[in-house]
């Protein structure tokens, strides 16, 4: 069965510091991984997907099949990055979410 | 474009009562999902519809939960009877195929 693990419930960083939100997965097939974000009082929305290999709002994530990881990174955190971040694994058309990490960016 | 709409936004009921949630997906989206998000956890898929047919309901507690998507557009999710552990946010999402899912604002249910 597939599983997504986000080991940190809360990550607090200073503005301008690097950010790394950890995500590990377990799945025997070829994974499709996503990061979703939920800003305060907003709905859950897609941030990025590993297939696109793109940078969104300065965030990037690389799929490491050897380590079964899909960590989300940003070199310089901004206040507006404060939000709840969920890593998700897609199998067939079903999304399995991790428990989420709250990112808190402070001045 | 208009996003996924859900109602009500909040609901408080007593255990053993019934409750229903409504979802209107983005126009033209064939796939509709219902998720349950318990406090401190990530969303968990309850049921997925493709048009008006069920694709996956393996995690739906069928003894008390039911869902339908008549005419392949709007959907309702019902809980009857509710238990304390059903307290959660119920999220509806839709997608044009099986790609990016667009989420609604959710319905926050509290069972007392």
């Amino acid at each position: 069965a597939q599983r997504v693990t986000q080991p940190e419930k809360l990550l607090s960083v200073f503005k301008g510091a690097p950010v790394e939100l950890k995500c590990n997965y377990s799945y025997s097939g070829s994974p499709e991984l996503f990061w979703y974000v939920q800003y305060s009082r907003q709905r859950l929305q897609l941030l990025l997907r590993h297939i696109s290999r793109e940078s969104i709002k300065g965030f990037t994530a690389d799929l490491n099949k050897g380590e079964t990881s899909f960590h989300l990174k940003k070199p310089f955190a901004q206040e507006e990055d404060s939000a709840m971040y969920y890593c998700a694994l897609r199998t067939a058309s079903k999304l399995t979410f991790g428990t989420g990490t709250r990112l808190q960016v402070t001045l | 474009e208009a996003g996924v709409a859900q109602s009500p936004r909040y609901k408080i009921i007593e255990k053993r009562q019934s409750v229903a949630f409504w979802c209107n997906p983005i126009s033209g989206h064939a796939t509709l999902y219902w998720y349950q998000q318990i406090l401190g956890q990530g969303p968990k898929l309850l049921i997925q519809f493709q048009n008006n047919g069920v694709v996956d309901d393996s995690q739906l507690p069928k003894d008390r939960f039911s869902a339908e998507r008549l005419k392949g557009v709007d959907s309702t999710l019902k809980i009857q009877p509710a238990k304390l552990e059903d307290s959660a946010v119920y999220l509806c999402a839709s997608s044009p195929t099986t790609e990016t899912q667009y989420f609604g604002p959710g319905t926050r249910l509290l069972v007392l």
Side-chain angles (χ1 to χ4, degrees), chain A:
Chain A
Q2 57 270 25
R3 178 180 288 184
V4 177
T5 303
Q6 293 180 252
E8 302 144 325
K9 284 192 177 299
L10 173 66
L11 181 64
S12 187
V13 301
F14 288 110
K15 179 181 176 181
V19 173
E20 183 178 60
L21 298 169
K22 292 183 167 45
C23 172
N24 288 90
Y25 67 92
S26 63
Y27 178 57
S28 56
S30 184
E32 286 188 75
L33 285 142
F34 304 79
W35 277 98
Y36 278 78
V37 61
Q38 188 167 26
Y39 300 102
S40 180
R41 288 186 285 278
Q42 293 187 29
R43 54 188 72 188
L44 194 60
Q45 60 186 282
L46 178 67
L47 180 63
L48 55 79
R49 68 188 81 187
H50 90 271
I51 290 177
S52 304
R53 301 186 64 82
E54 57 195 345
S55 173
I56 304 292
K57 300 184 179 183
F59 284 98
T60 58
D62 290 319
L63 178 61
N64 186 322
K65 291 186 178 180
E67 296 183 358
T68 59
S69 68
F70 188 57
H71 303 329
L72 184 67
K73 299 177 183 179
K74 185 170 182 177
F76 308 104
Q78 302 299 315
E79 280 185 87
E80 56 266 29
D81 296 330
S82 294
M84 196 73 188
Y85 291 80
Y86 294 94
C87 182
L89 168 68
R90 191 173 81 173
T91 57
S93 58
K94 175 180 174 178
L95 278 179
T96 299
F97 286 87
T99 51
T101 298
R102 179 169 299 283
L103 175 64
Q104 192 172 69
V105 181
T106 55
L107 296 175

